[in-house]
Amino acid sequence: EIIFEEVNYYLAIGDNTLLLESLDNAVQSDSLNAVLHLVLGNTYSQLGDIQKAEASFLKSIELDEDYFDAYNNLASLYLDQAAPLVEKKNGLSYKQEKLFNKYTKQINNFYNQALPHLESCLKIHPEHVQIADALKEIYYKVDKPKDSMKMKELIDLPNDQKKSFVADFFSK
């Protein structure tokens, strides 16, 4: 329990280096704690260590397959990597077709990596409008217009109808 207090302290003061050290100790003492792996993933992400962040989020999901935050943070990790590429792509002139195509391919790769994790979020919380909206946008961008339109339908439904709609959508 002292380890958890230490983790919370370093989280509060924003000292990622000491937080990482403390988290390593906490994970060693409670390796089956999905929350610790999530916090470890967030810390690695803030420090720019994408591979370790991804591994930590995946471990968190492995430990708790219904952990919304772990899926959401993993999807965000991929989407955050796409964002600077989108900016670069948007800044290109029409004459830079090869570079445009290169960025498009890289961006779509990140979107496709994020999709299954956002879909898991929606399965866990079908009423989550922000997730449905993100899926609507990404489906559109990766050329899945029918799925994008389905997410638009979902967003417009009353909450009491969303669970069955999502179940039907993913049963296809």
Side-chain angles (χ1 to χ4, degrees):
E1 199 166 295
I2 291 172
I3 292 173
F4 296 110
E5 288 178 25
E6 188 176 295
V7 166
N8 286 331
Y9 172 74
Y10 293 132
L11 271 171
I13 66 169
D15 189 331
N16 287 332
T17 305
L18 290 174
L19 174 60
L20 195 55
E21 191 177 301
S22 182
L23 279 169
D24 283 337
N25 292 334
V27 168
Q28 286 176 11
S29 71
D30 190 3
S31 64
L32 300 179
N33 187 321
V35 174
L36 286 176
H37 288 280
L38 176 78
V39 175
L40 188 59
N42 287 337
T43 305
Y44 280 130
S45 178
Q46 289 174 355
L47 294 172
D49 194 333
I50 303 302
Q51 290 176 329
K52 286 185 179 178
E54 179 183 42
S56 295
F57 292 142
L58 288 169
K59 182 65 176 179
S60 184
I61 291 166
E62 177 187 318
L63 294 170
D64 182 354
E65 62 186 32
D66 292 325
Y67 196 5
F68 178 90
D69 290 341
Y71 287 109
N72 192 33
N73 287 11
L74 183 55
S76 294
L77 185 72
Y78 298 129
L79 296 176
D80 288 347
Q81 292 175 80
L85 295 172
V86 170
E87 283 186 38
K88 287 180 182 180
K89 178 181 152 185
N90 290 341
L92 296 175
S93 78
Y94 71 94
K95 295 177 183 178
Q96 296 174 293
E97 186 178 346
K98 283 185 181 179
L99 201 50
F100 180 90
N101 292 336
K102 176 186 171 188
Y103 286 149
T104 299
K105 185 177 179 180
Q106 291 173 334
I107 291 163
N108 285 344
N109 181 47
F110 286 124
Y111 288 161
N112 283 312
Q113 284 181 284
L115 268 177
H117 307 295
L118 289 171
E119 291 170 342
S120 292
C121 286
L122 193 63
K123 290 174 190 174
I124 295 166
H125 289 298
E127 70 289 343
H128 203 290
V129 175
Q130 291 88 348
I131 295 296
D133 192 53
L135 282 167
K136 179 187 78 165
E137 296 296 323
I138 293 170
Y139 283 141
Y140 179 79
K141 291 174 182 177
V142 297
D143 201 26
K144 294 183 177 182
K146 289 179 183 177
D147 290 343
S148 179
M149 290 305 298
K150 284 289 191 185
M151 290 301 106
K152 170 75 171 103
E153 285 179 47
L154 173 64
I155 291 167
D156 294 338
L157 284 175
N159 279 347
D160 64 340
Q161 296 177 23
K162 290 183 178 185
K163 186 175 184 177
S164 63
F165 185 93
V166 168
D168 289 344
F169 177 79
F170 287 113
S171 68
K172 61 180 177 168

